[in-house]
Amino acid sequence: MNTSPFFIKPTPLQVVMLKVAAALVPGIAAMTWAFGVGVLVQITLALLTALLAEAACLKLRHYPIKPFILDGSAAVTALLLALSMPPLAPWWVVVLASLIAICLAKHLYGGLGQNPFNPAMVGFAVMIVSFPAQMSRWAAPLALDMPHLDSITQVITIFSGAVPAAFDAMASATPLDTIKTGLKAHQALADVMGAPLFGNLAGVGSEWAAAGFLLGGIYLLREKLIPWQIPVGFLGALMFTASVFYGLDPANYSPPWFHLFSGAAILGAFFIVSDPVTAPTTPRGRLIFAALAGLLTYMIRVFGAYPDGVAFAVLIMNIATPFIDQYTQPPVFGRKK
């Protein structure tokens, strides 16, 4: 009988990234169904730019291109970045964001495993701060009974940069932005959320996209590709904070289920906050990291200048990762401290 400990063979990085990409498929399908072919165009632009930028950076650093470009890390970064971008954003916005994510946020720090900040969120944050108008081009959900931009017009809008004459009638703000704008205009929350844009849990269409990412996140947990502390801590803190404010003043604060299924909450919990490079390595540290990111996400959404706070919350917590790791390390075996 063998009683010796067994070594677990680590999963190759290519397999991990392939499974992460596969887990994104349900959410991608739901987003495409909800907002149109622009979602797929942005994904294609981000993928092409990220892979070319990865190859160029590897060449400049005198690294072999093939093994690194085939590990899938640049492709997953591109997918997460594209899914965070508005479907009708001009092509150059996605290209520039991808270049920043790969060249500056990743390779400038030494490449995969050395970057202190999540590359996809760096690219997104730079764009939303620099080009807020272009980063607000969301197509109206196709499920609404209203005129829509057809697939060809969406592609033309992305690549030409020209805004169709009827664009304002066919575009839509996100549910988070709609609530923030309505409350600033002293509208009742019930009236704002009574608009056709809102569905049973959150925004029409976007709640199905969130459900798709939730399905993919459960798959990642089942495959043990992400630690459970990250999504539980992030979503738990977000829901708890939203519940407190909603319980104190339901007339001015959105219900917790709305925050759960709106914006990038579920995408962030399972695919972004859980980034193993920029998150803490200890179980207790991961829980603290994720919970604080969830708290910051709510605070930025409700009290900040931007409608969603996932990207900024993640980047702020990335700064704290080394300190969290330092103070949550378990004692060395044989020592009391």
Side-chain angles (χ1 to χ4, degrees):
M1 182 175 66
N2 292 327
T3 59
S4 300
F6 294 93
F7 291 98
I8 299 176
K9 185 178 180 180
T11 305
L13 181 60
Q14 288 178 321
V15 176
V16 173
M17 293 301 171
L18 182 61
K19 289 184 176 181
V20 172
L24 288 168
V25 169
I28 293 173
M31 281 193 68
T32 305
W33 169 79
F35 300 107
V37 74
V39 174
L40 299 180
V41 175
Q42 304 291 13
I43 289 175
T44 303
L45 286 170
L47 280 171
L48 291 175
T49 306
L51 292 176
L52 289 173
E54 180 89 344
C57 289
L58 290 170
K59 182 70 173 178
L60 289 172
R61 298 177 61 201
H62 305 290
Y63 277 76
I65 295 176
K66 186 176 180 179
F68 286 97
I69 204 169
L70 292 180
D71 64 14
S73 60
V76 169
T77 296
L79 287 174
L80 295 175
L81 178 59
L83 292 172
S84 305
M85 306 294 282
L88 299 180
W91 66 270
W92 55 266
V93 171
V94 181
V95 169
L96 184 56
S98 301
L99 290 173
I100 291 172
I102 299 298
C103 298
L104 299 184
K106 181 180 179 181
H107 282 280
L108 187 63
Y109 289 98
L112 182 64
Q114 306 298 320
N115 51 290
F117 300 101
N118 185 289
M121 293 301 95
V122 171
F124 175 85
V126 172
M127 289 300 102
I128 199 169
V129 170
S130 304
F131 309 103
Q134 287 77 9
M135 289 291 288
S136 63
R137 290 188 178 183
W138 282 86
L142 300 179
L144 294 182
D145 186 18
M146 61 179 292
H148 296 96
L149 297 173
D150 57 62
S151 298
I152 296 177
T153 307
Q154 284 196 14
V155 174
I156 293 174
T157 301
I158 293 170
F159 284 99
S160 69
V163 178
F167 179 81
D168 289 339
M170 299 180 182
S172 173
T174 64
L176 287 169
D177 199 21
T178 300
I179 286 182
K180 185 182 288 286
T181 303
L183 290 177
K184 284 184 177 179
H186 304 290
Q187 297 180 14
L189 180 62
D191 294 338
V192 177
M193 297 191 70
L197 176 64
F198 295 87
N200 296 320
L201 297 173
V204 173
S206 60
E207 57 191 6
W208 287 105
F213 293 126
L214 177 60
L215 183 64
I218 294 173
Y219 167 75
L220 294 181
L221 287 173
R222 180 179 176 275
E223 293 293 311
K224 298 181 179 180
L225 295 177
I226 60 173
W228 65 266
Q229 292 92 345
I230 296 288
V232 168
F234 181 85
L235 296 177
L238 178 63
M239 290 282 288
F240 175 78
T241 309
S243 298
V244 170
F245 281 90
Y246 181 69
L248 293 174
D249 189 3
N252 288 300
Y253 295 101
S254 307
W257 55 85
F258 172 79
H259 283 279
L260 180 65
F261 284 91
S262 291
I266 291 183
L267 175 67
F270 290 99
F271 296 93
I272 298 172
V273 187
S274 60
D275 176 20
V277 175
T278 57
T281 58
T282 65
R284 187 157 56 100
R286 289 165 176 165
L287 198 58
I288 295 171
F289 173 86
L292 290 176
L295 174 63
L296 284 172
T297 296
Y298 182 84
M299 293 301 174
I300 295 172
R301 282 182 172 184
V302 176
F303 304 107
Y306 296 99
D308 203 354
V310 173
F312 295 105
V314 169
L315 294 176
I316 291 172
M317 290 310 302
N318 286 161
I319 300 174
T321 293
F323 302 100
I324 295 174
D325 262 338
Q326 180 180 352
Y327 290 104
T328 57
Q329 288 290 341
V332 178
F333 181 75
R335 297 183 182 181
K336 292 183 179 181
K337 294 185 181 180

